[in-house]
Amino acid sequence: MAYRIMIGPRMWVFGDLKELMAKATPPRSGDRLAGVAAETAEESVAARMALADTPLKRILAEPLIPYEADEVTRLILDSHDDAAFAPVASLTVGGFRDWLLSDAATPEALGALAKGVTPEIAAAVSKVMRNQDLIAAARKCRVVKRFRNTIGLPGTMAVRLQPNHPTDDRKGVAASILDGLLLGAGDACIGINPASDNTAVIGDLMKLVDDVIARFEIPTQSCVLTHVTTTLELIRRGAPVDLVFQSVAGTQAANRSFGVDLAMLREAREAALSLGRGTVGSNVMYFETGQGSALSAGAHHGVDQQTCEARAYAVARAFDPLLVNTVVGFIGPEYLYDGKEIIRAGLEDHFCGKLMGLPLGVDVCYTNHAEADQDDMDTLLTVLAAAGVSYVMGVPGADDVMLNYQSTSFHDALYVREVFGLRRAPEFEAWLARMGIAGPDGRLLPGQAPRLLGAARELAA
């Protein structure tokens, strides 16, 4: 069914909801590459006006990818909570935007609504919102998850300590872990992207991080970001697995290109839960996403990349994860060309994920061939902190020497904590105080924990 809107003397016609949502999306290179973007700024404005007048119920009734052809679509529709959706069911997309920015949209009301929000509804409303709207609405969403500490409490922001090494060298990894801990990072997790896919190497890295956590009784969780099948095999071998990682996307075909499906993710979650390694909670999954992944796999079905990204959040939501993050600028300038597009995408992803009830973090990042720089990342990090981001990355020097991209550093996290008065996960912050790394106010102390250094050398030997 077509969507029409008259603007002045001209009638604009959009063939279906898929076309309308694509052309209502703020400009980005991925949609231009896919051939679904608006051809002119005028057409984009017309699409946003038509989308704003579209009832939310109509979006529910018009799947962008057919139910029978895609298990992600089936997941979205079969798990939709009609009772949670009821308070906003009579609204249009524009009316929903107004409600989200009103005093009626309290943290409690947004929490109750989350399971009634489909990814297509979240994506649609984001397309008619300014950046400040995305910040204001996301800030009101509260999503709290637990494993060995508590992520997402109001007034907190966690950091994933990312100690990657180009050869998975134990001493190099240990040095980066020590660097991060002494700078107060690591409450989201200590998470390694391995250079190797060798099961023995990955198991050794798991053991190294587990030894650090156990020896110093650190209230955090470990993760080696390998394929879910490798993690399952290591669980069978008795490896110390805390969090199960997997990259996911918003269509069945894109997930197939990653070598996964929903049944495999269910198996992995059950396996991790059976280990019972959490101390304050049982959120055992860690997912990463990114705008453009479905397009790069040739699996986007003509759906714009931001809506495909929101659909990935439906996949993540089904498995009650501890951590989800969009690696926002990692896939490259073919999908997000410059700093402006990366900043907008980061705010969209964060808003959509939080609105859907996910503990959304953001890897504030770019590749070296993008038209972006660290000033753009400073801007995105700052506005995400204002929006209440759950966690960000902590990379030594902000330069990942294994993945070869630019992210955020341990010092960048200290900057936003200082500016916004943000604390760490409470269990982790109490540990920093016990170790003499930080004071009771969370500020780092000089002469930090010399015994940590000696023991780290032993563990890396």
Side-chain angles (χ1 to χ4, degrees):
M1 185 183 300
Y3 293 75
R4 295 176 171 82
I5 188 165
M6 179 71 73
I7 302 177
R10 179 167 181 178
M11 173 69 77
W12 293 87
V13 180
F14 304 93
D16 56 19
L17 182 62
K18 185 186 301 185
E19 180 186 1
L20 178 67
M21 289 184 65
K23 293 189 173 180
T25 306
R28 65 206 56 202
S29 54
D31 289 340
R32 294 190 290 273
L33 178 65
V36 302
E39 295 184 6
T40 65
E42 186 180 12
E43 184 181 30
S44 180
V45 170
R48 288 182 217 181
M49 292 176 68
L51 183 60
D53 288 340
T54 300
L56 298 182
K57 285 183 177 179
R58 187 169 178 183
I59 295 174
L60 275 177
E62 191 175 334
L64 301 184
I65 302 172
Y67 182 92
E68 62 277 5
D70 186 88
E71 70 171 356
V72 177
T73 298
R74 294 193 290 275
L75 172 69
I76 291 165
L77 296 178
D78 292 349
S79 63
H80 182 250
D81 189 327
D82 290 332
F85 178 63
V88 299
S90 64
L91 299 179
T92 62
V93 171
F96 187 37
R97 176 256 182 197
D98 293 342
W99 182 85
L100 287 169
L101 298 174
S102 75
D103 291 340
T106 62
E108 294 74 22
L110 289 165
L113 176 68
K115 290 186 178 180
V117 177
T118 67
E120 290 82 1
I121 287 173
V125 73
S126 77
K127 296 175 192 298
V128 301
M129 297 172 83
R130 295 170 57 185
N131 285 3
Q132 67 172 248
D133 299 341
L134 297 172
I135 294 167
R139 186 174 179 82
K140 296 192 287 184
C141 297
R142 304 275 167 77
V143 183
V144 178
K145 301 293 181 179
R146 296 175 174 87
F147 188 75
R148 289 202 190 96
N149 60 27
T150 307
I151 305 294
L153 291 171
T156 67
M157 182 193 76
V159 176
R160 171 188 156 193
L161 200 172
Q162 186 168 308
N164 297 346
H165 191 277
T167 63
D168 294 328
D169 178 74
R170 286 175 61 90
K171 292 182 180 179
V173 170
S176 293
I177 292 174
L178 176 65
D179 188 21
L181 291 174
L182 292 179
L183 288 168
D187 46 348
C189 72
I190 300 174
I192 305 170
N193 296 91
S196 172
D197 60 2
N198 180 277
T199 304
V201 171
I202 291 165
D204 186 57
L205 291 174
M206 287 179 175
K207 181 70 164 54
L208 170 63
V209 183
D210 185 62
D211 285 347
V212 172
I213 290 173
R215 180 157 188 170
F216 299 108
E217 300 179 327
I218 308 172
T220 192
Q221 35 282 328
S222 67
C223 186
V224 178
L225 283 68
T226 186
H227 193 270
V228 64
T229 53
T230 303
T231 304
L232 273 167
E233 176 58 28
L234 284 163
I235 288 175
R236 294 185 189 106
R237 296 184 187 185
V241 173
D242 287 345
L243 303 182
V244 173
F245 168 80
Q246 183 57 48
S247 294
V248 294
T251 71
Q252 178 177 336
N255 283 322
R256 188 182 299 124
S257 76
F258 291 150
V260 298
D261 57 24
L262 299 180
M264 187 182 296
L265 296 176
R266 279 192 288 271
E267 179 186 359
R269 179 172 181 264
E270 291 303 314
L273 286 171
S274 72
L275 301 178
R277 292 174 60 85
T279 55
V280 298
S282 57
N283 300 113
V284 295
M285 303 299 286
Y286 176 7
F287 296 110
E288 285 189 346
T289 66
Q291 288 195 27
S293 60
L295 174 58
S296 66
H300 61 104
H301 298 270
V303 178
D304 69 271
Q305 69 179 40
Q306 190 253 331
T307 302
C308 282
E309 170 72 3
R311 286 171 57 94
Y313 303 153
V315 174
R317 182 170 62 180
F319 300 98
D320 197 16
L322 179 76
L323 305 171
V324 181
N325 70 265
T326 168
V327 192
V328 65
F330 182 74
I331 301 181
E334 301 88 347
Y335 307 99
L336 296 170
Y337 178 72
D338 57 15
K340 183 178 177 66
E341 291 188 5
I342 292 170
I343 289 167
R344 173 68 192 191
L347 289 174
E348 290 169 346
D349 295 350
H350 179 252
F351 162 78
C352 289
K354 292 290 280 293
L355 184 64
M356 292 173 62
L358 286 176
L360 226 292
V362 179
D363 189 343
V364 177
C365 64
Y366 64 102
T367 56
N368 291 313
H369 59 311
E371 291 296 320
D373 59 28
Q374 212 64 32
D375 286 337
D376 295 315
M377 300 306 103
D378 286 350
T379 299
L380 179 53
L381 177 63
T382 303
V383 294
L384 285 168
V389 68
S390 294
Y391 70 101
V392 296
M393 304 299 123
V395 177
D399 183 1
D400 193 301
V401 295
M402 195 284 283
L403 292 172
N404 196 29
Y405 79 120
Q406 309 305 309
S407 186
T408 48
S409 71
F410 308 133
H411 298 83
D412 293 332
L414 294 176
Y415 146 71
V416 286
R417 291 193 197 287
E418 175 71 22
V419 170
F420 290 96
L422 298 171
R423 307 297 290 259
R424 300 171 183 85
E427 301 90 344
F428 187 82
E429 193 159 278
W431 176 82
L432 291 174
R434 289 196 303 272
M435 294 296 294
I437 297 172
D441 60 356
R443 290 177 179 271
L444 299 181
L445 298 173
Q448 303 158 334
R451 71 185 184 88
L452 196 63
L453 178 59
R457 288 176 179 148
E458 292 176 26
L459 288 167

